[in-house]
Amino acid sequence: MMDDLDRFEPGMHTFTGTVRVWTAGTAEIVTDSGLVMFLDTRGQSPVAVGERVTVDARKYRPCHFVTRVRPG
């Protein structure tokens, strides 16, 4: 079955916060609740440090893969 090969956990997660680091492949945002989220940003447009964003992501170990970024 194809679902057995999916390395992502089911469901989507949404985080809103401030960009701490954003490179071509990874990012860190500090969420409104104070958590630091480590994100896989391959394929996403760059975002400036300090910008407030909301990201939709799918979880896989050890981080989240960003599927969409929009202004926070």
Side-chain angles (χ1 to χ4, degrees):
M1 219 171 132
M2 203 58 166
D3 290 341
D4 294 338
L5 300 176
D6 190 358
R7 64 185 184 163
F8 295 99
E9 293 180 6
M12 190 71 66
H13 302 274
T14 301
F15 305 101
T16 300
T18 304
V19 174
R20 188 162 92 168
V21 175
W22 196 289
T23 67
T26 62
E28 295 176 15
I29 66 167
V30 180
T31 67
D32 292 344
S33 61
L35 294 173
V36 176
M37 299 302 304
F38 299 96
L39 305 169
D40 182 331
T41 58
R42 288 176 284 178
Q44 300 296 320
S45 299
V47 177
V49 171
E51 189 171 331
R52 186 169 166 73
V53 295
T54 298
V55 298
D56 295 328
R58 292 190 64 199
K59 185 174 183 182
Y60 72 96
R61 293 183 197 138
C63 66
H64 288 77
F65 178 77
V66 175
T67 59
R68 184 171 75 156
V69 178
R70 57 192 186 277

